[in-house]
Amino acid sequence: FYAYDRGLLRQCVAQLRAALPTAVKLHYAMKANPMPAVVGLMAGLVDGIDVASAGELKVALDAGAHPAEISFAGPGKRDPELRQAVASRVLVNVESPRELAVLGAASRELGLPARVAVRVNPDFELKGSGMKMGGGPKQFGVDVDQVPELLAEIDRLGLGFEGFHLFAGSQNLRAESICEAQQKSYGLALRLAPHSRQPLRFLNLGGGFGIPYFPGEQRLDLAPIGRNLAELVARAGRELPQASLVIELGR
């Protein structure tokens, strides 16, 4: 039996909103809990929803999430799932070259250019994270050295490139590690952006915000993360003026 407290969920989102710059969009990674009632509540509290399957996409749409603010990430997306994402007009985080051919075919058949972002496997990791998603070969995302070629193919296929998704690791309770990873992720996006003919409009810096599970663990201090993101928002205003910064949280 699981019980979920709407009041506590609202309180958690309010605490995050208070700590983060207002310019940063807050997304809910519904893989953390795809229960329809939870997703329905969260859809009204956050700016967007991240899904990892066609089933989750249906739950998000049924919950009232706007397609423009839904992103679809995850390795091993099936061809029908990619077609459904194009038809639904949600943003697809491309994680392998194979996905581009399917998205290109679906775009031609449906008469809708797929909305895509590139999920990059960063060449660094989030220090002290429970699950590392960068710093070497990983199942998540495209290796950094392959990104320019992938961006060129996106342009060639006429797909709508919108940005990057960079996620170095999860379940981290060290604010300084999260800040360092966010700085490095932003710097990497800045280096890769010129390889596309289309402007960067979306930069998902992932999450990694941990929660204390065990005795002796301290709750993550959000204040330095908020200050770090405020600095990145100011930089983006000068260097990536069309881009929105996104934080994607689950737990």
Side-chain angles (χ1 to χ4, degrees), residues 95-97 118 120-121 141-152 192:
E95 308 213 18
S96 73
V118 176
V120 182
N121 172 29
V142 180
D143 290 346
V144 171
D145 59 354
Q146 294 179 320
V147 172
E149 182 180 347
L150 200 76
L151 292 173
L192 293 174

Side-chain angles (χ1 to χ4, degrees), residues 93-95 117-124 133-135 138 140-148 150-151 161 163-168 185 188-189 191-192 203-204:
N93 289 314
V94 174
E95 308 213 18
V118 176
R119 183 166 181 179
V120 182
N121 172 29
D123 47 7
F124 55 87
M133 299 181 182
K138 295 288 187 295
F140 303 103
V142 180
D143 290 346
V144 171
D145 59 354
Q146 294 179 320
V147 172
L150 200 76
L151 292 173
F161 171 71
F164 296 115
H165 181 180
L166 296 118
F167 195 5
S185 294
L188 179 56
R191 296 202 312 270
L192 293 174
L203 178 52
N204 186 331

Side-chain angles (χ1 to χ4, degrees), residues 42-106:
M42 295 301 290
L45 298 176
V46 298
D47 302 306
I49 303 286
D50 179 72
V51 304
S53 69
E56 288 189 2
L57 174 57
K58 184 178 187 304
V59 171
L61 291 170
D62 289 347
H66 196 287
E69 298 297 340
I70 296 176
S71 57
F72 186 175
K77 303 181 192 72
R78 295 178 293 116
D79 291 7
E81 290 180 307
L82 291 168
R83 283 183 55 85
Q84 185 174 341
V86 176
S88 301
R89 304 297 293 138
V90 303
L91 181 70
V92 179
N93 289 314
V94 174
E95 308 213 18
S96 73
R98 181 200 70 82
E99 294 180 9
L100 287 185
V102 180
L103 291 168

Side-chain angles (χ1 to χ4, degrees), residues 39 68 94 131 160 211 216 240 245:
V39 178
V94 174
M131 182 176 185
I211 57 172
L240 300 169
L245 268 58

